[in-house]
Amino acid sequence: MSAKIKIPKQLQTKTNGETLATVNGCDVQVCIDELIHQYPDLEGEIFDDQGMLLLKWMVYINRRISGASDALSNPVREGDMIELLPVVAGG
């Protein structure tokens, strides 16, 4: 399935300023893996060394939040928009 990943501002220095990437995959994990394949400088910026999503990111599909525990296994359909948004904390 062809989907798009909106690249957050924090990562655009690693993607030559690109803000959007087209990827193919059946779930979020595969799509993000392809994004990293397209832009190798993203290695270590999204996943930890165990392949888990870093805690600093939330995944949205079509502007709907994916569950934190299963975000990477969520299926992707043709034309979906995946967004990686930074987790904001403060006090």
Side-chain angles (χ1 to χ4, degrees), residues 59-87:
V59 175
Y60 287 73
I61 301 174
N62 299 325
R63 297 188 175 252
R64 300 185 95 176
I65 192 166
S66 294
S69 62
D70 63 350
L72 297 178
S73 64
N74 281 323
V76 174
R77 295 187 199 115
E78 185 73 28
D80 277 354
M81 174 69 75
I82 300 168
E83 294 181 74
L84 291 169
L85 296 175
V87 173

Side-chain angles (χ1 to χ4, degrees), residues 26-75:
C26 57
D27 61 30
V28 173
Q29 172 88 44
V30 173
C31 289
I32 295 175
D33 283 341
E34 184 173 325
L35 177 70
I36 294 168
H37 180 75
Q38 290 178 23
Y39 300 102
D41 287 346
L42 291 175
E43 187 74 39
E45 297 291 333
I46 301 171
F47 298 131
D48 65 17
D49 57 358
Q50 316 263 324
M52 301 297 291
L53 187 67
L54 291 172
L55 295 177
K56 65 182 178 179
W57 299 112
M58 292 294 297
V59 175
Y60 287 73
I61 301 174
N62 299 325
R63 297 188 175 252
R64 300 185 95 176
I65 192 166
S66 294
S69 62
D70 63 350
L72 297 178
S73 64
N74 281 323

